[in-house]
Amino acid sequence: MQRTLKQTINFEGIGLHSGKIVKMSVYPAMADHGIVFVRSDITDKNNVIPAKYDHVVDTKLCTVIGNDAGAIVGTIEHLMAAFAGCGIDNALVEIDSPEVPVMDGSSSAFVEAFDDAGLEIQEKPRRAIRILKEVSIEKDGKRASLRPGNLSTFIGEIDFDHPSIGKQRYEVTLLNGNFRHDIAEARTFGFKHEVEMLRQMGLAQGGSLDNAIVLDETKVLNKDGLRFENEFIRHKVLDAIGDTALAGGPIIGTYEGEKLGHELTNLLLRELFKNDDAWTYEDSYIDAGNDTALSIVQNRAVKHLAMSS
Ligand SMILES: [Zn+2]
């Protein structure tokens, strides 16, 4: 079934690029509402931006969505991943800035707040997107695909010529809330020389060792090191989960990305929805964000329905 939050959550944090304090409230929303952003600081034009793949307007440094009036909101991917990972279908996100607060560079602050607020099960089934036929996209030596499968599986691979990263591959199937411990805490990362370049361009003003893993030419600079040995690829998979959530529902199938990033994943979704025979909507009872007890109850309900029909 679809789910929303039991109560409103207020976040306050720094914007990665502006370096300014951002206020953001996440409100419960009715069934079939989806995830929608509203820019409360924009009052002279349409300030509503649906979190959909076809509203993505920029993917260079983060995922930015926008509407026809030119209202935008960026750095949505870690929040979107938290919604997907916790199985939240419907929410209204009110924000007073063009970027979602970066928090600690991962999804963990969002997940913790969602768990504290509690989730409300709604009366309508969740509408998932089942992959029927493989679609793939290639660009500049990067590759991503979606292929049929019975669960929501994400596979990512990166290969960085850096002693702390190297080649990393990671696979996860979203089930029973495992996003919380396997993915949510993995932080974004960047290289010191890139951060310095962005700063000179007036970007990454809020970027620090408090909200990213930062590497110099040979090592990780964060005092406490990494949260996972392969935190880099786990974060790339987190981004892919957040970016594919812009499909408008969970994907039943396997996502695989090599040298994956925001642009590649968005191009892949656009390719998917161009091919009507490659996917179909399906009422889903698989729940990425469920705890085990809840999914057992749901499985019983599904079996019961099957037996009684
Ligand atoms: Zn990220």
Side-chain angles (χ1 to χ4, degrees), residues 77-78 188 235 239 262:
E77 58 272 18
H78 305 162
T188 189
H235 184 80
D239 281 339
H262 304 304

Side-chain angles (χ1 to χ4, degrees), residues 60-76:
K60 276 191 291 295
L61 298 170
C62 60
T63 300
V64 183
I65 50 172
N67 65 18
D68 289 344
I72 61 160
V73 59
T75 324
I76 62 165

Side-chain angles (χ1 to χ4, degrees), residues 37-50:
F37 288 79
V38 174
R39 281 278 302 276
S40 60
D41 56 323
I42 296 178
T43 51
D44 59 340
K45 62 183 181 187
N46 180 9
N47 63 356
V48 178
I49 313 158

Side-chain angles (χ1 to χ4, degrees), residues 60-286:
K60 276 191 291 295
L61 298 170
C62 60
T63 300
V64 183
I65 50 172
N67 65 18
D68 289 344
I72 61 160
V73 59
T75 324
I76 62 165
E77 58 272 18
H78 305 162
L79 176 62
M80 291 305 299
F83 282 132
C86 295
I88 298 171
D89 306 277
N90 303 304
L92 183 75
V93 184
E94 194 181 80
I95 185 164
D96 70 349
S97 154
E99 57 180 335
V100 170
V102 64
M103 312 311 281
D104 71 347
S106 77
S107 296
S108 68
F110 303 128
V111 168
E112 274 170 32
F114 295 164
D115 285 347
D116 286 347
L119 303 184
E120 176 103 13
I121 298 175
Q122 298 175 294
E123 69 280 16
K124 287 201 166 178
R126 168 173 293 148
R127 194 173 65 162
I129 293 141
R130 180 179 280 274
I131 306 301
L132 300 175
K133 211 176 83 178
E134 177 161 348
V135 288
S136 64
I137 199 95
E138 266 188 78
K139 196 180 173 189
D140 308 329
K142 304 167 188 174
R143 195 176 173 281
S145 63
L146 280 165
R147 57 177 187 263
N150 285 320
L151 294 166
S152 220
T153 299
F154 290 83
I155 305 168
E157 190 177 299
I158 50 172
D159 193 357
F160 280 82
D161 185 17
H162 187 287
S164 298
I165 311 178
K167 190 167 177 168
Q168 300 190 353
R169 188 177 171 87
Y170 184 70
E171 174 172 345
V172 67
T173 294
L174 295 182
L175 216 52
N176 296 334
N178 60 349
F179 177 85
R180 289 175 177 82
H181 44 86
D182 289 338
I183 307 286
E185 289 183 358
R187 290 163 297 173
T188 189
F189 59 96
F191 299 94
K192 193 165 171 255
H193 65 271
E194 284 176 1
V195 176
E196 280 161 3
M197 209 168 68
L198 288 171
R199 286 249 175 88
Q200 282 170 12
M201 293 160 66
L203 299 166
Q205 303 297 311
S208 76
L209 293 168
D210 292 332
N211 51 41
I213 305 166
V214 182
L215 304 107
D216 67 8
E217 260 120 72
T218 57
K219 61 187 182 302
V220 170
L221 298 176
N222 304 59
K223 197 166 67 1
D224 297 330
L226 298 176
R227 294 175 176 177
F228 304 94
E229 195 190 348
N230 57 356
E231 188 168 355
F232 306 101
I233 186 60
R234 285 183 198 244
H235 184 80
K236 288 290 188 180
V237 168
L238 183 158
D239 281 339
I241 292 167
D243 287 333
T244 52
L246 298 175
I251 287 180
I252 303 177
T254 300
Y255 169 101
E256 182 162 2
E258 285 165 41
K259 301 186 180 173
L260 63 169
H262 304 304
E263 184 191 19
L264 200 66
T265 303
N266 187 247
L267 289 173
L268 181 64
L269 284 188
R270 288 177 190 270
E271 183 65 24
L272 175 71
F273 288 110
K274 258 195 270 171
N275 291 280
D276 286 343
D277 58 342
W279 64 279
T280 186
Y281 283 124
E282 181 177 295
D283 286 352
S284 170
Y285 297 91
I286 298 170

